[in-house]
Amino acid sequence: MSEVWWIVGRGLFGGLLVMAFAVIGEMLTPKRFAGIFAAAPAVALAGMTVTVVQKGEHQLDEDALGMIAGAVALVAYCAVAVPLVRRVGALAGSLMALAVWAIVAGAGWALIA
C-alpha cells in the first residue's frame, strides 16, 4: 500500500478517535476532567495502531518511547510554566518554560536514541 494511503488512514482513524474522546469528555462532570480526553491521547492511539499494522511491533516500541519522552517533557513544561508566567509575565515565562521543555525532551531523546 502506498505511503499516502497510510497517512490518509492515520488521519481518518485519528479523527474518529478524537471525536469519540470528545464525546466521552462532554459526558464527564466536572468538566475539568474533559481535558484528559483531549486530542493528544486519541491521536497517539491512532498513530500507534496504524504503526503496528504498517511497520510492526518493533517500530511501535520505538514510537511509544518517543511519546513517553515527549509526555515527560510536557509535564516539565506545565510544571514550570504557571509559576514562571506569574512571576515574569506571559512571553518571558512561556519562553523560559519552552527552554525547560527542550532540555527535558533532548535528554529523553538522548536516553532512548
Side-chain angles (χ1 to χ4, degrees):
M1 191 177 218
S2 98
E3 188 72 25
V4 172
W5 288 111
W6 282 111
I7 293 170
V8 169
R10 185 179 241 163
L12 289 173
F13 190 54
L16 288 172
L17 282 176
V18 167
M19 289 185 336
F21 276 75
V23 169
I24 292 169
E26 283 297 316
M27 293 187 310
L28 290 176
T29 52
K31 288 299 179 190
R32 67 178 160 249
F33 292 122
I36 295 170
F37 296 99
V43 172
L45 287 173
M48 291 173 80
T49 302
V50 172
T51 297
V52 78
V53 168
Q54 181 185 15
K55 298 181 181 174
E57 290 181 18
H58 177 70
Q59 183 64 42
L60 180 62
D61 291 345
E62 292 178 7
D63 288 0
L65 285 174
M67 288 180 189
I68 291 168
V72 170
L74 182 60
V75 168
Y77 173 87
C78 293
V80 300
V82 172
L84 283 173
V85 166
R86 286 183 179 153
R87 179 166 292 166
V88 297
L91 181 59
S94 297
L95 290 174
M96 293 166 76
L98 186 59
V100 169
W101 174 87
I103 291 166
V104 174
W109 181 78
L111 284 174
I112 64 174

